[in-house]
Amino acid sequence: MAHPKRRHSTTRRDKRRTHYKVEAVTLATDSTTGEVHERHHAHVFEGNLFYRGKMIIEGYRPTV
């Protein structure tokens, strides 16, 4: 494996890490249920699983 011959400064390290950012989750409102959920993800509303405004699974119970 490659090993650096000299130590990198903290400035060089921080410049390399500038692209690792935490982004806020994009939220959307379901047109059928009015539930606010994470975009492009299914969500549970009143025991049913919904995705893109359609009920996918009725009586949904998540497995642990």
Side-chain angles (χ1 to χ4, degrees):
M1 284 182 55
H3 293 288
K5 193 165 190 174
R6 299 206 189 289
R7 181 178 176 165
H8 282 240
S9 68
T10 56
T11 306
R12 284 181 64 122
R13 180 201 61 201
D14 294 343
K15 282 182 184 178
R16 185 180 70 248
R17 293 180 180 174
T18 58
H19 301 289
Y20 303 123
K21 297 178 181 140
V22 177
E23 294 180 6
V25 177
T26 307
L27 298 177
T29 305
D30 193 332
S31 58
T32 308
T33 62
E35 187 82 8
V36 177
H37 61 91
E38 194 173 344
R39 196 168 172 90
H40 301 294
H41 285 71
H43 64 281
V44 178
F45 180 73
E46 295 180 355
N48 301 322
L49 188 69
F50 283 86
Y51 183 68
R52 297 184 66 186
K54 298 175 186 169
M55 184 173 20
I56 305 299
I57 300 173
E58 190 173 351
Y60 175 75
R61 264 193 234 156
T63 56
V64 178

Short mmCIF file of all heavy atoms in Angstrom, two decimals:
data_model
loop_
_atom_site.label_atom_id
_atom_site.label_comp_id
_atom_site.label_asym_id
_atom_site.label_seq_id
_atom_site.Cartn_x
_atom_site.Cartn_y
_atom_site.Cartn_z
N MET A 1 0.83 -1.19 0.00
CA MET A 1 0.00 0.00 0.00
C MET A 1 0.87 1.25 0.00
O MET A 1 1.97 1.25 0.55
CB MET A 1 -0.89 0.02 1.25
CG MET A 1 -2.06 -0.93 1.18
SD MET A 1 -3.14 -0.86 2.61
CE MET A 1 -3.56 0.84 2.69
N ALA A 2 0.35 2.29 -0.57
CA ALA A 2 1.08 3.55 -0.63
C ALA A 2 0.99 4.28 0.69
O ALA A 2 -0.05 4.32 1.34
CB ALA A 2 0.52 4.42 -1.74
N HIS A 3 2.14 4.84 1.12
CA HIS A 3 2.20 5.62 2.34
C HIS A 3 2.78 6.98 2.00
O HIS A 3 3.74 7.07 1.22
CB HIS A 3 3.07 4.95 3.40
CG HIS A 3 2.48 3.68 3.90
ND1 HIS A 3 1.39 3.66 4.72
CD2 HIS A 3 2.81 2.39 3.69
CE1 HIS A 3 1.07 2.42 5.00
NE2 HIS A 3 1.92 1.62 4.38
N PRO A 4 2.22 8.05 2.57
CA PRO A 4 2.76 9.37 2.27
C PRO A 4 4.15 9.53 2.87
O PRO A 4 4.43 9.07 3.97
CB PRO A 4 1.77 10.33 2.94
CG PRO A 4 1.07 9.52 3.97
CD PRO A 4 1.08 8.12 3.48
N LYS A 5 5.03 10.16 2.10
CA LYS A 5 6.39 10.38 2.58
C LYS A 5 6.41 11.50 3.60
O LYS A 5 7.19 11.47 4.55
CB LYS A 5 7.29 10.73 1.40
CG LYS A 5 8.76 10.68 1.71
CD LYS A 5 9.58 10.67 0.46
CE LYS A 5 11.03 10.39 0.79
NZ LYS A 5 11.81 10.25 -0.43
N ARG A 6 5.53 12.49 3.38
CA ARG A 6 5.46 13.61 4.32
C ARG A 6 4.01 13.79 4.77
O ARG A 6 3.08 13.43 4.06
CB ARG A 6 5.94 14.91 3.65
CG ARG A 6 7.36 14.86 3.18
CD ARG A 6 7.95 16.24 3.14
NE ARG A 6 9.24 16.30 2.49
CZ ARG A 6 10.37 15.81 2.99
NH1 ARG A 6 10.37 15.17 4.12
NH2 ARG A 6 11.49 15.94 2.34
N ARG A 7 3.85 14.40 5.91
CA ARG A 7 2.53 14.62 6.48
C ARG A 7 1.80 15.71 5.70
O ARG A 7 2.39 16.74 5.36
CB ARG A 7 2.69 15.05 7.94
CG ARG A 7 1.40 15.28 8.64
CD ARG A 7 1.62 15.65 10.08
NE ARG A 7 0.37 15.96 10.72
CZ ARG A 7 0.22 16.03 12.01
NH1 ARG A 7 1.24 15.84 12.82
NH2 ARG A 7 -0.95 16.31 12.52
N HIS A 8 0.48 15.50 5.45
CA HIS A 8 -0.33 16.52 4.79
C HIS A 8 -0.80 17.52 5.84
O HIS A 8 -1.16 17.14 6.96
CB HIS A 8 -1.55 15.89 4.12
CG HIS A 8 -1.22 15.24 2.82
ND1 HIS A 8 -1.79 15.62 1.65
CD2 HIS A 8 -0.37 14.24 2.51
CE1 HIS A 8 -1.31 14.88 0.66
NE2 HIS A 8 -0.44 14.02 1.18
N SER A 9 -0.85 18.76 5.45
CA SER A 9 -1.29 19.80 6.38
C SER A 9 -2.81 19.70 6.58
O SER A 9 -3.52 19.10 5.77
CB SER A 9 -0.93 21.18 5.85
OG SER A 9 -1.69 21.47 4.69
N THR A 10 -3.29 20.32 7.63
CA THR A 10 -4.73 20.31 7.90
C THR A 10 -5.50 21.05 6.81
O THR A 10 -6.63 20.71 6.50
CB THR A 10 -5.03 20.96 9.26
OG1 THR A 10 -4.48 22.27 9.30
CG2 THR A 10 -4.46 20.14 10.39
N THR A 11 -4.87 22.04 6.21
CA THR A 11 -5.52 22.78 5.11
C THR A 11 -5.75 21.88 3.92
O THR A 11 -6.83 21.88 3.32
CB THR A 11 -4.66 23.99 4.70
OG1 THR A 11 -4.41 24.78 5.85
CG2 THR A 11 -5.37 24.82 3.66
N ARG A 12 -4.73 21.09 3.56
CA ARG A 12 -4.88 20.16 2.44
C ARG A 12 -5.95 19.11 2.74
O ARG A 12 -6.75 18.75 1.88
CB ARG A 12 -3.56 19.46 2.15
CG ARG A 12 -2.57 20.35 1.43
CD ARG A 12 -1.31 19.58 1.16
NE ARG A 12 -1.57 18.48 0.25
CZ ARG A 12 -0.97 18.30 -0.91
NH1 ARG A 12 -0.07 19.17 -1.32
NH2 ARG A 12 -1.24 17.28 -1.66
N ARG A 13 -5.98 18.61 3.97
CA ARG A 13 -6.98 17.64 4.37
C ARG A 13 -8.37 18.23 4.27
O ARG A 13 -9.30 17.61 3.74
CB ARG A 13 -6.71 17.19 5.81
CG ARG A 13 -7.71 16.16 6.33
CD ARG A 13 -7.75 16.12 7.82
NE ARG A 13 -8.16 17.41 8.36
CZ ARG A 13 -7.93 17.83 9.58
NH1 ARG A 13 -7.22 17.08 10.43
NH2 ARG A 13 -8.35 18.99 10.00
N ASP A 14 -8.55 19.47 4.76
CA ASP A 14 -9.86 20.11 4.74
C ASP A 14 -10.31 20.42 3.32
O ASP A 14 -11.50 20.34 3.01
CB ASP A 14 -9.85 21.37 5.59
CG ASP A 14 -9.66 21.05 7.07
OD1 ASP A 14 -9.87 19.87 7.45
OD2 ASP A 14 -9.29 21.95 7.83
N LYS A 15 -9.37 20.78 2.45
CA LYS A 15 -9.73 21.03 1.04
C LYS A 15 -10.25 19.76 0.39
O LYS A 15 -11.18 19.80 -0.41
CB LYS A 15 -8.51 21.53 0.26
CG LYS A 15 -8.19 22.97 0.48
CD LYS A 15 -7.00 23.35 -0.38
CE LYS A 15 -6.56 24.77 -0.13
NZ LYS A 15 -5.38 25.12 -0.94
N ARG A 16 -9.66 18.63 0.72
CA ARG A 16 -10.10 17.36 0.16
C ARG A 16 -11.50 17.01 0.65
O ARG A 16 -12.29 16.42 -0.06
CB ARG A 16 -9.11 16.26 0.55
CG ARG A 16 -9.41 14.92 -0.08
CD ARG A 16 -8.41 13.86 0.32
NE ARG A 16 -8.53 13.49 1.72
CZ ARG A 16 -7.63 13.74 2.65
NH1 ARG A 16 -6.51 14.40 2.36
NH2 ARG A 16 -7.82 13.37 3.91
N ARG A 17 -11.82 17.37 1.88
CA ARG A 17 -13.10 17.00 2.48
C ARG A 17 -14.23 17.99 2.21
O ARG A 17 -15.33 17.82 2.73
CB ARG A 17 -12.93 16.86 4.00
CG ARG A 17 -12.04 15.70 4.37
CD ARG A 17 -11.90 15.59 5.86
NE ARG A 17 -11.03 14.47 6.21
CZ ARG A 17 -10.65 14.21 7.45
NH1 ARG A 17 -11.04 14.97 8.45
NH2 ARG A 17 -9.87 13.19 7.69
N THR A 18 -14.01 19.01 1.41
CA THR A 18 -15.05 20.02 1.18
C THR A 18 -16.27 19.46 0.46
O THR A 18 -17.35 20.02 0.58
CB THR A 18 -14.51 21.21 0.36
OG1 THR A 18 -14.01 20.72 -0.86
CG2 THR A 18 -13.46 21.96 1.12
N HIS A 19 -16.11 18.37 -0.28
CA HIS A 19 -17.22 17.84 -1.06
C HIS A 19 -18.12 16.91 -0.26
O HIS A 19 -19.18 16.53 -0.72
CB HIS A 19 -16.70 17.11 -2.29
CG HIS A 19 -15.88 18.01 -3.17
ND1 HIS A 19 -16.42 19.02 -3.91
CD2 HIS A 19 -14.54 18.08 -3.36
CE1 HIS A 19 -15.46 19.66 -4.57
NE2 HIS A 19 -14.31 19.11 -4.24
N TYR A 20 -17.70 16.51 0.95
CA TYR A 20 -18.53 15.65 1.80
C TYR A 20 -19.45 16.54 2.62
O TYR A 20 -19.07 17.04 3.66
CB TYR A 20 -17.66 14.79 2.72
CG TYR A 20 -16.67 13.93 1.98
CD1 TYR A 20 -15.33 14.02 2.24
CD2 TYR A 20 -17.11 13.03 1.03
CE1 TYR A 20 -14.41 13.23 1.56
CE2 TYR A 20 -16.21 12.25 0.34
CZ TYR A 20 -14.86 12.34 0.62
OH TYR A 20 -13.97 11.55 -0.06
N LYS A 21 -20.67 16.73 2.13
CA LYS A 21 -21.59 17.64 2.80
C LYS A 21 -22.86 16.90 3.20
O LYS A 21 -23.27 15.95 2.54
CB LYS A 21 -21.98 18.78 1.86
CG LYS A 21 -20.82 19.65 1.47
CD LYS A 21 -21.23 20.73 0.51
CE LYS A 21 -20.01 21.53 0.15
NZ LYS A 21 -19.97 21.90 -1.23
N VAL A 22 -23.47 17.35 4.24
CA VAL A 22 -24.76 16.82 4.66
C VAL A 22 -25.83 17.66 3.98
O VAL A 22 -25.83 18.89 4.10
CB VAL A 22 -24.91 16.90 6.19
CG1 VAL A 22 -26.28 16.41 6.61
CG2 VAL A 22 -23.82 16.10 6.86
N GLU A 23 -26.71 17.00 3.26
CA GLU A 23 -27.78 17.72 2.56
C GLU A 23 -29.11 17.44 3.25
O GLU A 23 -29.34 16.35 3.77
CB GLU A 23 -27.85 17.27 1.11
CG GLU A 23 -26.61 17.64 0.31
CD GLU A 23 -26.70 17.19 -1.13
OE1 GLU A 23 -27.77 16.71 -1.53
OE2 GLU A 23 -25.70 17.35 -1.83
N ALA A 24 -29.98 18.42 3.22
CA ALA A 24 -31.31 18.26 3.82
C ALA A 24 -32.13 17.29 2.98
O ALA A 24 -32.01 17.24 1.76
CB ALA A 24 -32.01 19.61 3.90
N VAL A 25 -32.95 16.51 3.64
CA VAL A 25 -33.81 15.54 2.97
C VAL A 25 -34.93 16.29 2.26
O VAL A 25 -35.54 17.20 2.83
CB VAL A 25 -34.40 14.55 3.99
CG1 VAL A 25 -35.34 13.57 3.33
CG2 VAL A 25 -33.29 13.81 4.70
N THR A 26 -35.21 15.91 1.02
CA THR A 26 -36.29 16.53 0.26
C THR A 26 -37.61 15.89 0.66
O THR A 26 -37.75 14.67 0.60
CB THR A 26 -36.05 16.34 -1.25
OG1 THR A 26 -34.75 16.80 -1.57
CG2 THR A 26 -37.07 17.13 -2.05
N LEU A 27 -38.55 16.72 1.07
CA LEU A 27 -39.85 16.22 1.50
C LEU A 27 -40.91 16.50 0.44
O LEU A 27 -40.81 17.46 -0.31
CB LEU A 27 -40.26 16.88 2.83
CG LEU A 27 -39.34 16.61 4.01
CD1 LEU A 27 -39.81 17.38 5.22
CD2 LEU A 27 -39.27 15.13 4.32
N ALA A 28 -41.91 15.64 0.41
CA ALA A 28 -43.02 15.79 -0.53
C ALA A 28 -44.32 15.53 0.21
O ALA A 28 -44.33 14.91 1.26
CB ALA A 28 -42.87 14.81 -1.69
N THR A 29 -45.42 16.02 -0.35
CA THR A 29 -46.75 15.79 0.23
C THR A 29 -47.52 14.84 -0.68
O THR A 29 -47.61 15.07 -1.89
CB THR A 29 -47.51 17.12 0.36
OG1 THR A 29 -46.70 18.03 1.10
CG2 THR A 29 -48.81 16.93 1.08
N ASP A 30 -48.04 13.78 -0.10
CA ASP A 30 -48.81 12.81 -0.87
C ASP A 30 -50.14 13.43 -1.27
O ASP A 30 -50.84 14.01 -0.45
CB ASP A 30 -49.04 11.56 -0.02
CG ASP A 30 -49.55 10.39 -0.85
OD1 ASP A 30 -50.21 10.62 -1.88
OD2 ASP A 30 -49.28 9.25 -0.47
N SER A 31 -50.50 13.29 -2.54
CA SER A 31 -51.73 13.89 -3.04
C SER A 31 -52.97 13.18 -2.50
O SER A 31 -54.03 13.79 -2.34
CB SER A 31 -51.74 13.87 -4.57
OG SER A 31 -51.62 12.54 -5.03
N THR A 32 -52.88 11.90 -2.21
CA THR A 32 -54.02 11.13 -1.73
C THR A 32 -54.26 11.31 -0.25
O THR A 32 -55.37 11.60 0.19
CB THR A 32 -53.82 9.62 -2.02
OG1 THR A 32 -53.48 9.48 -3.39
CG2 THR A 32 -55.06 8.83 -1.71
N THR A 33 -53.20 11.14 0.56
CA THR A 33 -53.34 11.15 2.00
C THR A 33 -53.02 12.49 2.64
O THR A 33 -53.43 12.74 3.77
CB THR A 33 -52.43 10.09 2.63
OG1 THR A 33 -51.07 10.41 2.32
CG2 THR A 33 -52.75 8.71 2.11
N GLY A 34 -52.27 13.33 1.95
CA GLY A 34 -51.84 14.60 2.52
C GLY A 34 -50.68 14.46 3.49
O GLY A 34 -50.30 15.40 4.17
N GLU A 35 -50.11 13.27 3.55
CA GLU A 35 -49.00 12.97 4.44
C GLU A 35 -47.69 13.53 3.87
O GLU A 35 -47.42 13.43 2.68
CB GLU A 35 -48.88 11.45 4.59
CG GLU A 35 -47.89 10.98 5.60
CD GLU A 35 -48.42 10.99 7.01
OE1 GLU A 35 -49.63 11.23 7.20
OE2 GLU A 35 -47.62 10.78 7.91
N VAL A 36 -46.90 14.14 4.76
CA VAL A 36 -45.58 14.62 4.35
C VAL A 36 -44.60 13.47 4.54
O VAL A 36 -44.54 12.86 5.60
CB VAL A 36 -45.14 15.84 5.20
CG1 VAL A 36 -43.75 16.28 4.83
CG2 VAL A 36 -46.13 16.98 5.01
N HIS A 37 -43.84 13.15 3.47
CA HIS A 37 -42.93 12.01 3.52
C HIS A 37 -41.66 12.33 2.74
O HIS A 37 -41.59 13.33 2.03
CB HIS A 37 -43.61 10.77 2.93
CG HIS A 37 -44.00 10.94 1.50
ND1 HIS A 37 -43.18 10.59 0.45
CD2 HIS A 37 -45.12 11.45 0.93
CE1 HIS A 37 -43.79 10.87 -0.69
NE2 HIS A 37 -44.97 11.40 -0.43
N GLU A 38 -40.67 11.47 2.88
CA GLU A 38 -39.42 11.63 2.14
C GLU A 38 -39.67 11.32 0.67
O GLU A 38 -40.33 10.34 0.33
CB GLU A 38 -38.38 10.67 2.72
CG GLU A 38 -36.98 10.96 2.28
CD GLU A 38 -35.96 10.11 3.00
OE1 GLU A 38 -36.30 9.52 4.03
OE2 GLU A 38 -34.83 10.04 2.51
N ARG A 39 -39.14 12.17 -0.20
CA ARG A 39 -39.38 12.02 -1.63
C ARG A 39 -38.80 10.71 -2.16
O ARG A 39 -37.73 10.29 -1.76
CB ARG A 39 -38.74 13.21 -2.35
CG ARG A 39 -39.21 13.40 -3.75
CD ARG A 39 -38.73 14.77 -4.24
NE ARG A 39 -39.00 14.95 -5.64
CZ ARG A 39 -40.11 15.46 -6.11
NH1 ARG A 39 -41.04 15.87 -5.27
NH2 ARG A 39 -40.30 15.59 -7.39
N HIS A 40 -39.51 10.06 -3.07
CA HIS A 40 -39.13 8.79 -3.70
C HIS A 40 -39.06 7.64 -2.70
O HIS A 40 -38.33 6.67 -2.92
CB HIS A 40 -37.80 8.91 -4.45
CG HIS A 40 -37.81 9.94 -5.52
ND1 HIS A 40 -38.58 9.83 -6.65
CD2 HIS A 40 -37.16 11.12 -5.62
CE1 HIS A 40 -38.39 10.90 -7.41
NE2 HIS A 40 -37.54 11.69 -6.81
N HIS A 41 -39.80 7.73 -1.59
CA HIS A 41 -39.84 6.66 -0.61
C HIS A 41 -41.31 6.36 -0.28
O HIS A 41 -42.14 7.26 -0.24
CB HIS A 41 -39.13 7.05 0.68
CG HIS A 41 -37.65 7.04 0.56
ND1 HIS A 41 -36.96 7.97 -0.16
CD2 HIS A 41 -36.74 6.19 1.07
CE1 HIS A 41 -35.67 7.70 -0.08
NE2 HIS A 41 -35.51 6.62 0.66
N ALA A 42 -41.59 5.10 -0.03
CA ALA A 42 -42.93 4.71 0.40
C ALA A 42 -43.14 5.14 1.85
O ALA A 42 -42.17 5.29 2.60
CB ALA A 42 -43.11 3.21 0.26
N HIS A 43 -44.40 5.37 2.24
CA HIS A 43 -44.68 5.77 3.61
C HIS A 43 -45.95 5.09 4.10
O HIS A 43 -46.81 4.69 3.32
CB HIS A 43 -44.82 7.30 3.71
CG HIS A 43 -45.98 7.84 2.94
ND1 HIS A 43 -45.94 8.01 1.58
CD2 HIS A 43 -47.21 8.23 3.34
CE1 HIS A 43 -47.11 8.50 1.18
NE2 HIS A 43 -47.89 8.63 2.22
N VAL A 44 -46.04 4.94 5.42
CA VAL A 44 -47.18 4.27 6.05
C VAL A 44 -48.17 5.33 6.51
O VAL A 44 -47.80 6.32 7.14
CB VAL A 44 -46.71 3.41 7.25
CG1 VAL A 44 -47.91 2.76 7.92
CG2 VAL A 44 -45.72 2.38 6.80
N PHE A 45 -49.44 5.13 6.19
CA PHE A 45 -50.51 6.03 6.62
C PHE A 45 -51.70 5.17 7.01
O PHE A 45 -52.22 4.41 6.19
CB PHE A 45 -50.88 7.00 5.49
CG PHE A 45 -51.97 7.94 5.86
CD1 PHE A 45 -51.74 8.99 6.73
CD2 PHE A 45 -53.25 7.79 5.34
CE1 PHE A 45 -52.74 9.88 7.06
CE2 PHE A 45 -54.26 8.67 5.67
CZ PHE A 45 -54.01 9.72 6.54
N GLU A 46 -52.09 5.25 8.29
CA GLU A 46 -53.22 4.49 8.85
C GLU A 46 -53.08 2.99 8.57
O GLU A 46 -54.03 2.31 8.19
CB GLU A 46 -54.54 5.02 8.30
CG GLU A 46 -54.84 6.45 8.73
CD GLU A 46 -56.16 6.96 8.19
OE1 GLU A 46 -56.81 6.25 7.39
OE2 GLU A 46 -56.54 8.07 8.58
N GLY A 47 -51.87 2.47 8.74
CA GLY A 47 -51.64 1.03 8.59
C GLY A 47 -51.51 0.54 7.17
O GLY A 47 -51.39 -0.67 6.94
N ASN A 48 -51.54 1.41 6.19
CA ASN A 48 -51.39 1.03 4.79
C ASN A 48 -50.12 1.67 4.22
O ASN A 48 -49.75 2.78 4.60
CB ASN A 48 -52.59 1.48 3.96
CG ASN A 48 -53.87 0.88 4.48
OD1 ASN A 48 -53.90 -0.27 4.90
ND2 ASN A 48 -54.93 1.65 4.49
N LEU A 49 -49.48 0.97 3.29
CA LEU A 49 -48.25 1.47 2.67
C LEU A 49 -48.61 2.16 1.36
O LEU A 49 -49.25 1.57 0.49
CB LEU A 49 -47.28 0.31 2.43
CG LEU A 49 -45.89 0.69 1.97
CD1 LEU A 49 -45.15 1.38 3.12
CD2 LEU A 49 -45.12 -0.52 1.52
N PHE A 50 -48.19 3.42 1.22
CA PHE A 50 -48.48 4.21 0.03
C PHE A 50 -47.19 4.58 -0.69
O PHE A 50 -46.15 4.81 -0.06
CB PHE A 50 -49.19 5.52 0.41
CG PHE A 50 -50.63 5.34 0.76
CD1 PHE A 50 -51.02 4.99 2.04
CD2 PHE A 50 -51.61 5.51 -0.20
CE1 PHE A 50 -52.34 4.82 2.36
CE2 PHE A 50 -52.94 5.36 0.10
CZ PHE A 50 -53.31 5.01 1.40
N TYR A 51 -47.27 4.64 -2.03
CA TYR A 51 -46.16 5.12 -2.85
C TYR A 51 -46.74 5.81 -4.07
O TYR A 51 -47.56 5.24 -4.78
CB TYR A 51 -45.23 3.98 -3.27
CG TYR A 51 -44.04 4.46 -4.05
CD1 TYR A 51 -43.05 5.21 -3.45
CD2 TYR A 51 -43.90 4.16 -5.40
CE1 TYR A 51 -41.95 5.67 -4.16
CE2 TYR A 51 -42.81 4.60 -6.12
CZ TYR A 51 -41.83 5.35 -5.49
OH TYR A 51 -40.75 5.80 -6.20
N ARG A 52 -46.33 7.05 -4.30
CA ARG A 52 -46.79 7.87 -5.43
C ARG A 52 -48.31 7.99 -5.47
O ARG A 52 -48.93 7.93 -6.54
CB ARG A 52 -46.25 7.33 -6.75
CG ARG A 52 -44.74 7.37 -6.82
CD ARG A 52 -44.22 6.92 -8.14
NE ARG A 52 -44.63 7.86 -9.17
CZ ARG A 52 -44.42 7.66 -10.47
NH1 ARG A 52 -43.82 6.59 -10.89
NH2 ARG A 52 -44.81 8.56 -11.34
N GLY A 53 -48.95 8.14 -4.31
CA GLY A 53 -50.38 8.36 -4.24
C GLY A 53 -51.22 7.12 -4.36
O GLY A 53 -52.45 7.19 -4.36
N LYS A 54 -50.60 5.94 -4.46
CA LYS A 54 -51.35 4.70 -4.58
C LYS A 54 -51.06 3.80 -3.40
O LYS A 54 -49.93 3.75 -2.92
CB LYS A 54 -50.97 3.97 -5.87
CG LYS A 54 -51.29 4.75 -7.11
CD LYS A 54 -50.79 4.02 -8.34
CE LYS A 54 -51.00 4.90 -9.57
NZ LYS A 54 -50.31 4.36 -10.74
N MET A 55 -52.09 3.06 -2.95
CA MET A 55 -51.89 2.12 -1.86
C MET A 55 -51.22 0.88 -2.42
O MET A 55 -51.73 0.23 -3.32
CB MET A 55 -53.22 1.74 -1.20
CG MET A 55 -53.01 0.86 -0.01
SD MET A 55 -54.43 0.46 0.99
CE MET A 55 -55.81 0.76 -0.02
N ILE A 56 -50.05 0.55 -1.88
CA ILE A 56 -49.30 -0.61 -2.35
C ILE A 56 -49.66 -1.85 -1.54
O ILE A 56 -49.93 -2.90 -2.09
CB ILE A 56 -47.78 -0.33 -2.24
CG1 ILE A 56 -47.41 0.95 -2.98
CG2 ILE A 56 -46.96 -1.49 -2.75
CD1 ILE A 56 -47.70 0.93 -4.46
N ILE A 57 -49.65 -1.72 -0.20
CA ILE A 57 -49.95 -2.86 0.67
C ILE A 57 -50.97 -2.41 1.71
O ILE A 57 -50.77 -1.43 2.41
CB ILE A 57 -48.68 -3.36 1.38
CG1 ILE A 57 -47.64 -3.82 0.36
CG2 ILE A 57 -49.01 -4.50 2.33
CD1 ILE A 57 -46.30 -4.18 0.96
N GLU A 58 -52.06 -3.16 1.78
CA GLU A 58 -53.09 -2.87 2.78
C GLU A 58 -52.77 -3.66 4.04
O GLU A 58 -52.41 -4.83 3.97
CB GLU A 58 -54.46 -3.27 2.23
CG GLU A 58 -55.60 -2.80 3.09
CD GLU A 58 -56.95 -3.07 2.44
OE1 GLU A 58 -56.97 -3.48 1.26
OE2 GLU A 58 -57.96 -2.85 3.11
N GLY A 59 -52.92 -3.03 5.21
CA GLY A 59 -52.61 -3.69 6.47
C GLY A 59 -51.12 -3.98 6.62
O GLY A 59 -50.73 -5.08 6.99
N TYR A 60 -50.28 -3.01 6.30
CA TYR A 60 -48.83 -3.17 6.30
C TYR A 60 -48.26 -3.20 7.71
O TYR A 60 -48.59 -2.36 8.53
CB TYR A 60 -48.19 -2.04 5.50
CG TYR A 60 -46.67 -2.03 5.53
CD1 TYR A 60 -45.97 -2.96 4.79
CD2 TYR A 60 -45.97 -1.13 6.31
CE1 TYR A 60 -44.59 -2.98 4.79
CE2 TYR A 60 -44.61 -1.13 6.33
CZ TYR A 60 -43.91 -2.06 5.57
OH TYR A 60 -42.55 -2.05 5.60
N ARG A 61 -47.44 -4.20 8.00
CA ARG A 61 -46.70 -4.28 9.26
C ARG A 61 -45.23 -4.43 8.94
O ARG A 61 -44.84 -5.43 8.31
CB ARG A 61 -47.15 -5.49 10.06
CG ARG A 61 -48.19 -5.15 11.09
CD ARG A 61 -48.35 -6.31 12.03
NE ARG A 61 -49.78 -6.63 12.04
CZ ARG A 61 -50.27 -7.78 12.35
NH1 ARG A 61 -49.50 -8.77 12.68
NH2 ARG A 61 -51.56 -7.97 12.34
N PRO A 62 -44.39 -3.48 9.34
CA PRO A 62 -42.95 -3.63 9.05
C PRO A 62 -42.35 -4.78 9.84
O PRO A 62 -42.69 -5.02 10.99
CB PRO A 62 -42.35 -2.29 9.47
CG PRO A 62 -43.34 -1.68 10.39
CD PRO A 62 -44.68 -2.25 10.03
N THR A 63 -41.45 -5.52 9.20
CA THR A 63 -40.76 -6.62 9.87
C THR A 63 -39.50 -6.07 10.53
O THR A 63 -38.86 -5.17 10.01
CB THR A 63 -40.37 -7.73 8.87
OG1 THR A 63 -39.59 -7.14 7.85
CG2 THR A 63 -41.60 -8.37 8.28
N VAL A 64 -39.16 -6.63 11.67
CA VAL A 64 -37.99 -6.16 12.40
C VAL A 64 -36.84 -7.08 12.24
O VAL A 64 -36.86 -8.19 12.03
CB VAL A 64 -38.32 -6.01 13.90
CG1 VAL A 64 -37.10 -5.57 14.68
CG2 VAL A 64 -39.46 -5.03 14.07
#
